Amino acid sequence: MSSNNAESSPALGPQQHYLQALADRRLLLQRCAECGWHQFPPRSLCVHCGAGEPDWVSPSGLGTVYSCSVVARAPEVGGDYNVVLVDLDEGVRLMSHMVNHPEGSSLIGSRVSACFEPGPEGPRLVFTPVEEAA
Amino acid sequence: MSGANPLRASAAIVGVATAGCGEAPGRTEMELLAEASRLALADAGLTLADVDGLATASASVPMWSMSVAEYLALRPNYVDATMVGGSSCIGNLVPAMLALQAGVCRTVLVCYGSTQRTAVMNRAALSRARKQLDPNPYEQPYAPLAPATSYALAAARHMHQYGTTRRQLAEVAVAARRWAQLNPEAFMRGPLTIDDVLSARRVSDPLGVRDCCLITDGAAAFVLTTAERARGLRQPPVYVLGSSLSLSHRQISAMPDLTVTAARESGAAAYAMAGVSASDINVAQLYDAFSINTLLFLEDLGFCAKGEGGAFVEGGGIGPGGRLAVNTNGGGLSCVHPGMYGGFLTIEAVRQLRGEAGARQIQDAQLALVHGNGGSLSSQATAILGSGATR
């Protein structure tokens, strides 16, 4: 993982910068240049050490499902869908949706990897299961 | 009590009232709020002319405190418009006690009203408006139900981590219904079994519709004044022995540990101010927006160890005749839940401590714990209330 200052646009605040990267199908994460702390959601300061706006890095995209809920929805408007909380290996948590998972299995504890799926409002960050060597 | 916190028992709740609980078609939330306020003041033997402090919040109107002051023709010296969701009315206590002790004001009216069930702008419309006014680009793309999915995620994690079962969650809803059956003011009083809860319409797994609080109309108001002044009023004073408010996050994805709430902090601070512990409490009113809440708060407020909330409620543990009387009005699950429920919790505790709770009265109740929750397990406010004997 490397610091990626070249990607940060001085014209945009952290929220817009993050969302624009997602629209380009890239997941970025903030990492403080002073203390090395990763944080999410993006902020204009490091809440760990108080330094100013953190750098941007490209995370591994790997993580573990922390919790999961299947939301009930009528079949005619798309049917049930899952909402997951994923703990990225960098130590931050984000809300997302899991694709390609086996039907009916418990998702909590699953190892997952970030990917993108097309959506009505542009690419959407989702997660897919990964097999990892022990 | 030597070394006691100077705020301990410095103020008392001297009047309480609810209005329009259940369904109040054709009435506005302000009309219900005003009715509850008038009745709470009458209960105390006071009038609107005595009110020089106001604490109120709305789930939808930004400058609500001014609207309330205008409607009730108040000229308050002290205003607390703190909006931390359902815990707001309990979070109002410490600032009001400080203001009373400092002589900023003499009588604080804490009030809330909602017509969430029958209003023209219903909950779905409000939810759409909130997405515009309070956008969340990190969670909204995944369409969590607000707020049910946040609580479902906490429940799923608690089940994964501690082996808590849906049946144990259902015990919470069944206990609430059994209390509601003893309360003529409760909205839902029909029979309810664990199997009924388990087979109810799914909402956001593992929570079904009977794991979720009601959506009702209703208003709650209570009156706070100094302990000295309280002694000369109409009702036996209910003293605020300790209270505290804590925040831990706003959106559920930012909650550090979904099995541990900031009730740990608010509870510890409230107990310390009151000089009591969980084992001293005779009756507990714990904000049951969802069945998982009650388990989390039983644990975080020290009634049982972390992870043991499910076992604690098994076999009717928190229902009538159980090991701890919890949510004796029937709770948000079966009595009343008009959006923000903190005031109603407080009022039920006051009724228990005054011995006015009828068929659901806890014998010799002297110490009550009230715990409010707001947002997505985000704000937690605890209060320890006591009868005159505890002062």
Side-chain angles (χ1 to χ4, degrees), chain A residues 57-132:
Chain A
V57 297
S58 296
S60 67
L62 292 171
T64 305
V65 176
Y66 176 76
S67 194
C68 172
S69 177
V70 176
V71 179
R73 184 172 60 175
E76 57 271 25
V77 287
D80 295 354
Y81 58 95
N82 70 66
V83 175
V84 294
L85 295 178
V86 174
D87 287 346
L88 293 183
D89 290 355
E90 287 77 10
V92 304
R93 178 174 302 155
L94 40 79
M95 182 174 281
S96 191
H97 172 72
M98 192 149 159
V99 297
N100 304 321
H101 60 85
E103 194 71 27
S105 62
S106 172
L107 301 180
I108 297 178
S110 304
R111 290 289 290 164
V112 291
S113 178
C115 56
F116 287 86
E117 66 171 19
E121 287 153 33
R124 187 168 80 142
L125 174 69
V126 296
F127 285 82
T128 187
V130 290
E131 296 293 329
E132 287 180 322

Side-chain angles (χ1 to χ4, degrees), chain B:
Chain B
M1 201 180 186
S2 69
N5 187 304
L7 277 188
R8 183 189 189 278
S10 65
I13 297 173
V14 293
V16 300
T18 60
C21 292
E23 291 181 336
R27 300 182 69 84
T28 70
E29 54 190 8
M30 188 67 86
E31 288 164 358
L32 297 186
L33 176 151
E35 178 69 355
S37 299
R38 185 181 69 80
L39 294 172
L41 287 162
D43 185 46
L46 296 171
T47 70
L48 282 169
D50 293 303
V51 176
D52 55 1
L54 175 65
T56 192
S58 160
S60 52
V61 182
M63 290 188 236
W64 181 246
S65 60
M66 286 185 268
S67 299
V68 172
E70 178 190 292
Y71 195 93
L72 299 177
L74 302 175
R75 297 286 291 249
N77 303 315
Y78 170 79
V79 177
D80 181 357
T82 302
M83 174 50 184
V84 287
S87 64
S88 297
C89 284
I90 301 166
N92 291 148
L93 288 173
V94 167
M97 292 166 84
L98 288 165
L100 288 166
Q101 192 171 59
V104 173
C105 58
R106 295 183 72 209
T107 308
V108 180
L109 173 67
V110 182
C111 52
Y112 172 75
S114 167
T115 51
Q116 191 184 58
R117 187 177 182 89
T118 58
V120 176
M121 182 158 182
N122 63 18
R123 224 163 146 269
L126 195 59
S127 177
R128 282 193 296 276
R130 280 214 191 99
K131 280 181 188 170
Q132 298 291 317
L133 294 168
D134 183 18
N136 181 336
Y138 309 110
E139 292 195 347
Q140 272 172 18
Y142 306 102
L145 299 182
T149 300
S150 294
Y151 291 84
L153 288 164
R157 184 67 198 180
H158 201 275
M159 291 168 73
H160 175 82
Q161 207 160 315
Y162 296 110
T164 305
T165 64
R166 280 204 64 206
R167 181 165 283 273
Q168 290 171 332
L169 291 171
E171 286 267 11
V172 173
V174 169
R177 183 61 58 89
R178 291 201 174 124
W179 284 115
Q181 286 164 346
L182 301 176
N183 179 7
E185 292 180 10
F187 189 64
M188 297 275 275
R189 305 186 66 207
L192 184 73
T193 66
I194 288 181
D195 286 337
D196 292 337
V197 179
L198 295 177
S199 61
R201 177 170 62 82
R202 296 169 54 240
V203 174
S204 193
D205 290 339
L207 303 180
V209 71
R210 293 276 81 85
D211 292 283
C212 305
C213 63
L214 306 173
I215 297 171
T216 69
D217 299 335
F222 62 86
V223 182
L224 202 67
T225 191
T226 61
E228 282 174 3
R229 185 144 169 269
R231 284 194 292 278
L233 295 178
R234 198 169 150 257
Q235 295 285 357
V238 168
Y239 296 96
V240 185
L241 304 179
S243 187
S244 179
L245 168 68
S246 292
L247 307 184
S248 54
H249 61 280
R250 172 67 184 91
Q251 52 187 340
I252 197 69
S253 52
M255 185 172 178
D257 179 343
L258 267 67
T259 69
V260 181
T261 73
R264 273 207 181 158
E265 287 94 327
S266 67
Y271 285 134
M273 188 189 291
V276 303
S277 64
S279 60
D280 298 318
I281 300 297
N282 304 125
V283 56
Q285 313 297 341
L286 310 178
Y287 196 130
D288 54 343
F290 298 90
S291 54
I292 183 64
N293 294 36
T294 305
L295 299 192
L296 291 171
F297 300 148
L298 285 168
E299 296 170 357
D300 292 338
L301 296 168
F303 294 104
C304 61
K306 181 50 65 184
E308 293 177 6
F312 190 91
V313 303
E314 274 183 343
I318 59 171
R323 61 169 86 185
L324 178 68
V326 176
N327 296 338
T328 49
N329 61 348
L333 290 169
S334 279
C335 179
V336 62
H337 193 282
M340 304 205 295
Y341 173 63
F344 300 85
L345 290 160
T346 310
I347 290 170
E348 175 63 10
V350 169
R351 287 176 173 161
Q352 287 286 351
L353 294 173
R354 285 188 191 169
E356 294 174 350
R360 64 188 192 280
Q361 178 65 46
I362 305 307
Q363 287 303 308
D364 299 322
Q366 306 291 337
L367 268 181
L369 181 144
V370 182
H371 184 79
N373 163 79
S376 302
L377 291 168
S378 320
S379 73
Q380 305 296 332
T382 312
I384 315 287
L385 305 182
S387 67
T390 63
R391 187 159 177 254

